Amino acid sequence: DSGVTQTPKHLITATGQRVTLRCSPRSGDLSVYWYQQSLDQGLQFLIQYYNGEERAKGNILERFSAQQFPDLHSELNLSSLELGDSALYFCASSVGGGAIADTQYFGPGTRLTVL
Amino acid sequence: AQTVTQSQPEMSVQEAETVTLSCTYDTSESNYYLFWYKQPPSRQMILVIRQEAYKQQNATENRFSVNFQKAAKSFSLKISDSQLGDTAMYFCAFINSGAGSYQLTFGKGTKLSVIP
């Protein structure tokens, strides 16, 4: 158990809908990272937050957004869902804001299925 | 852009034997970190080992060790005394310290099967 929690574990929804994925980092970690794992694209970085502020953006679609709250948990919002958004979404956390020595610890992931 | 290449989509090894997984990467930076993550059937991503580019000594963690060849941009993972619990996808990953953000760039993975 990495100490990173993600809810829900599974999510099934229809095209056009909106969902919210939730992540709680390890105690003491200030950074949260979101990654998407799909069969065709592999593991891709989406976005990073550090202590409530956006730190870096990767291949995140405009239909997706995220935020980190004062208690440091983070939410990833996916809207106007398409079939291709079906994937495993991981949250990871680290102590610092990207200090290179930080190890990222991953949560168990949320499996999103768009029908 | 940084890229990570794992040329072996699938591998198998007999229990108790040794296996080496290959990884090459491409970067113009001199300061970076390399990682191997393991993803068992449970889908959890588990850190196996980490290597700092400025360190010449290869990292080791119990049965896991790496062969880091900086000039060749190669970072292979050796698993000794393979166990059934080592069956998993293994991902090589890279962080470029000069990029201003520290997202992991992953390879496509190698599926390792340990055979009893």
Side-chain angles (χ1 to χ4, degrees):
Chain A
D1 186 355
S2 67
V4 180
T5 61
Q6 289 186 249
T7 57
K9 285 188 177 180
H10 303 279
L11 201 48
I12 302 174
T13 188
T15 55
Q17 295 299 304
R18 173 189 169 95
V19 297
T20 297
L21 282 54
R22 182 188 170 103
C23 168
S24 292
R26 296 185 319 154
S27 177
D29 284 2
L30 298 179
S31 271
V32 169
Y33 308 77
W34 287 97
Y35 292 87
Q36 179 194 58
Q37 185 178 29
S38 62
L39 283 175
D40 54 343
Q41 297 292 327
L43 273 156
Q44 289 196 99
F45 168 72
L46 295 179
I47 197 164
Q48 176 198 355
Y49 278 82
Y50 171 70
N51 204 20
E53 294 188 0
E54 182 183 304
R55 177 60 63 96
K57 262 187 175 179
N59 298 321
I60 188 166
L61 300 172
E62 285 191 9
R63 300 183 285 108
F64 296 0
S65 64
Q67 54 184 330
Q68 187 179 28
F69 295 86
D71 66 352
L72 301 177
H73 90 272
S74 178
E75 293 180 356
L76 179 67
N77 301 296
L78 315 176
S79 61
S80 303
L81 285 167
E82 302 175 359
L83 295 177
D85 297 327
S86 294
L88 187 56
Y89 291 85
F90 283 107
C91 167
S93 73
S94 68
V95 173
I100 193 60
D102 282 348
T103 293
Q104 293 181 29
Y105 295 92
F106 282 75
T110 293
R111 166 71 70 186
L112 173 66
T113 302
V114 182
L115 301 175
Chain B
Q2 286 72 236
T3 58
V4 178
T5 302
Q6 295 179 248
S7 59
Q8 305 148 314
E10 290 192 43
M11 295 188 72
S12 62
V13 62
Q14 292 290 134
E15 195 175 5
E17 296 296 310
T18 296
V19 64
T20 299
L21 281 57
S22 300
C23 172
T24 58
Y25 58 94
D26 186 26
T27 181
S28 58
E29 301 295 327
S30 59
N31 191 19
Y32 50 88
Y33 282 58
L34 294 158
F35 304 82
W36 279 96
Y37 279 87
K38 166 186 176 180
Q39 188 177 37
S42 66
R43 309 296 278 176
Q44 177 77 47
M45 292 290 288
I46 302 166
L47 177 71
V48 175
I49 201 164
R50 184 182 83 176
Q51 174 77 43
E52 294 87 343
Y54 63 86
K55 287 187 178 179
Q56 293 187 342
Q57 186 174 5
N58 289 324
T60 61
E61 284 289 342
N62 301 313
R63 297 182 295 108
F64 299 88
S65 62
V66 299
N67 183 5
F68 174 49
Q69 301 288 330
K70 190 171 183 179
K73 295 181 181 175
S74 170
F75 182 61
S76 60
L77 175 70
K78 185 172 83 171
I79 306 174
S80 304
D81 185 26
S82 296
Q83 300 176 359
L84 296 179
D86 296 333
T87 293
M89 282 290 288
Y90 286 81
F91 293 94
C92 180
F94 172 99
I95 288 181
N96 178 4
S97 65
S101 71
Y102 301 110
Q103 71 261 31
L104 289 160
T105 299
F106 288 91
K108 294 290 187 185
T110 296
K111 183 178 181 181
L112 177 67
S113 298
V114 180
I115 303 166

